[in-house]
Amino acid sequence: MNLTILHLYPKEMNLYGDHGNVLVLKRRCEWRGIKVNIIEHNIGDELPAKCDIIFGGGGQDSGQQRIAEDLRNNGKALKAWAEDGMPTLLVCGIYQLFGNFFKMQDGVTIEGISVLDIETEAGDKRLIGNIVIESGKFGDIVGYENHSGLTELGNDIKPLGKVTRGYGNNGSDGAEGVFYKNTIGTYMHGPLLPKNPRIADFLIKTALERKYGAQKDFEKLPDKLEQKARKIAMERPR
Ligand code: GLN
């Protein structure tokens, strides 16, 4: 078996080791004997005709401005993939741009690609620190956030989880991220997947099911170190 990961804008969107998420996906596939091909999409590149998992990381406002036009040029294909159930992980800056818009502190608005019905406006303080959320599907999720953007969800889109420590989407309604079809949007860096292997395996297993059918024998990994890392991260003060 083999999977292709499409990594969006690794040059501009790679804060706090977000690239590590791709390494985790690759390694967890390889431990199971699944071959991985990584396609990096940078500004001006053509999207591949096919892929199995999509990942995009966080970036500063300036990076978001640089990629916005290219992202919009590819918005139709990315939206079609999301609607079709493509397993996708979007962190912070790219999460915002998969929404309707991100209005920056100076009032300039970056139009997004409206894959997710969310809207983001920069607030006047940065929301920074360790974060833990409770999610029905993946249990507790632990990470680190650093954003000024305050994100509101539309009526028909569900958050990824409820904040137990930290700020989340906007610091006021207790919601963090989104979970839409198989697309996960989140403010959680860290990177996210090393400490949250259940999410990594959700992306991998969903990709395998879409490509090869039911995965009854999907191998469980021991995750001893991962569990230790989670525990330590979850006990960190905010
Ligand atoms: N520039 C965005 C914000 O501050 C995204 C930051 C990020 O990706 N960490 O809200």
Side-chain angles (χ1 to χ4, degrees), residues 169-185:
N169 281 335
N170 51 49
S172 53
D173 66 9
E176 207 298 307
V178 301
F179 188 45
Y180 174 72
K181 305 220 163 161
N182 291 323
T183 295
I184 295 169

Side-chain angles (χ1 to χ4, degrees), residues 13 15-16 18 57-62 64 91-96 102 104 120-123 126-127 145-151 187 189:
M13 307 301 277
L15 279 180
Y16 315 116
D18 282 343
Q60 284 145 347
D61 295 11
S62 54
Q64 290 175 286
V91 178
C92 201
I94 202 125
Y95 163 48
Q96 295 171 346
F102 171 40
M104 295 182 292
T120 305
E121 291 194 31
R126 295 199 70 79
L127 308 183
E145 61 185 327
N146 183 351
H147 54 110
S148 75
L150 304 176
T151 298
Y187 275 110
H189 298 275

